[in-house]
Amino acid sequence: QYPTEPPDCLVDFPVPFAVSWVPQNSLIDIYNQFLAALESLKEFWDALDEIDGKTWVLEPENPTRSATTRRIAIGNNVSVNIEVDPRHPNMLPECYFLGADHAVNPLRTKLNNNMHLWDPEISLLKNLRELLEIDFPSRAVLEKIDFARDCGICYAYRLDGSAPDRVCDEPRCGQPFHHACLYEWLQGLPTSRQSFNVIFGECPYCNK
């Protein structure tokens, strides 16, 4: 129905690309709107590009330009999943820590205590470093194998594209598992107990 209606536009954006259109417009008008949309997302992409280049991102493995989340390695079986608002990339993102309680609880406390220090004038990565009072593992000196361990049940790192996201809370164990693997394992144990969608049971490695 062109030119009465605009042509379909497929873009790899983290936000909808809404074309402003009247029948008198041309494809050049759409192109200019596309360039303006690109410019409006520059800060968002710059923030995530810095994270991708200077930290070990566990997920997504190959992020697209529309991806708004990053799971960043912090240490051995400890990571933080952040979700960045494309419209406000310099604001504090949603943060979710993954790992054993004894490892992630101090990080949660630091984040809560230091939220007031967030500075929208500095980069997202620098803000996270200062709020959590940590240095993220550097791609320049460490390999992913240094902190990314295989699932203790299926013995693979990737399962349907996902990395292990559950860790034994026993400090002397700390074995990681895929959620799906651990859930299936615990369902098969007579000693496990379930409450709604949460299942409790012994670690396949240390029996704690």
Side-chain angles (χ1 to χ4, degrees), residues 78-127:
V78 182
S79 59
V80 60
N81 193 81
I82 64 169
E83 181 158 3
V84 183
D85 184 344
R87 297 299 190 192
H88 306 284
N90 294 325
M91 303 306 291
L92 177 65
E94 292 186 30
C95 298
Y96 175 71
F97 295 98
L98 297 103
D101 286 344
H102 71 273
V104 302
N105 284 342
L107 293 170
R108 292 192 186 104
T109 300
K110 289 178 182 178
L111 179 64
N112 291 332
N113 291 343
N114 294 335
M115 277 185 183
H116 66 283
L117 299 176
W118 186 271
D119 183 359
E121 298 301 318
I122 64 176
S123 75
L124 172 62
L125 180 58
K126 186 174 181 181
N127 267 308

Side-chain angles (χ1 to χ4, degrees), residues 149-166 175-186 204-205:
R149 293 167 59 191
D150 293 343
C151 170
I153 295 175
C154 72
Y155 301 107
Y157 184 66
R158 294 282 173 191
L159 178 67
D160 296 330
S162 297
D165 56 359
R166 295 293 185 271
Q175 176 64 42
F177 306 95
H178 294 113
H179 177 273
C181 294
L182 187 60
Y183 189 82
E184 184 176 348
W185 175 280
L186 293 176
Y205 258 63

Side-chain angles (χ1 to χ4, degrees), residues 24-202:
Q24 293 76 25
N25 282 359
S26 67
L27 295 180
I28 294 296
D29 295 306
I30 293 181
Y31 177 67
N32 289 333
Q33 292 178 52
F34 173 74
L35 293 181
L38 283 178
E39 184 62 27
S40 72
L41 292 167
K42 184 178 184 301
E43 280 189 317
F44 167 76
W45 283 322
D46 285 348
L48 291 185
D49 285 347
E50 182 183 22
I51 288 174
D52 293 339
K54 295 183 178 179
T55 71
W56 277 110
V57 173
L58 304 180
E59 295 179 287
E61 189 172 15
N62 297 298
T64 64
R65 300 309 269 174
S66 61
T68 60
T69 62
R70 294 293 190 275
R71 181 181 169 193
I72 309 170
I74 294 177
N76 190 19
N77 299 322
V78 182
S79 59
V80 60
N81 193 81
I82 64 169
E83 181 158 3
V84 183
D85 184 344
R87 297 299 190 192
H88 306 284
N90 294 325
M91 303 306 291
L92 177 65
E94 292 186 30
C95 298
Y96 175 71
F97 295 98
L98 297 103
D101 286 344
H102 71 273
V104 302
N105 284 342
L107 293 170
R108 292 192 186 104
T109 300
K110 289 178 182 178
L111 179 64
N112 291 332
N113 291 343
N114 294 335
M115 277 185 183
H116 66 283
L117 299 176
W118 186 271
D119 183 359
E121 298 301 318
I122 64 176
S123 75
L124 172 62
L125 180 58
K126 186 174 181 181
N127 267 308
L128 289 173
R129 285 175 178 149
E130 294 190 358
L131 264 65
L132 299 177
E133 300 174 11
I134 61 170
D135 285 322
F136 290 97
S138 170
R139 299 178 69 93
V141 296
L142 293 173
E143 298 292 334
K144 184 178 287 189
I145 195 172
D146 292 325
F147 43 77
R149 293 167 59 191
D150 293 343
C151 170
I153 295 175
C154 72
Y155 301 107
Y157 184 66
R158 294 282 173 191
L159 178 67
D160 296 330
S162 297
D165 56 359
R166 295 293 185 271
V167 178
C168 176
D169 282 331
E170 169 59 43
R172 291 171 294 181
C173 178
Q175 176 64 42
F177 306 95
H178 294 113
H179 177 273
C181 294
L182 187 60
Y183 189 82
E184 184 176 348
W185 175 280
L186 293 176
Q187 276 190 316
L189 294 180
T191 55
S192 298
R193 65 188 191 281
Q194 186 164 353
S195 176
F196 298 101
N197 291 328
V198 180
I199 191 167
F200 303 88
E202 297 176 349

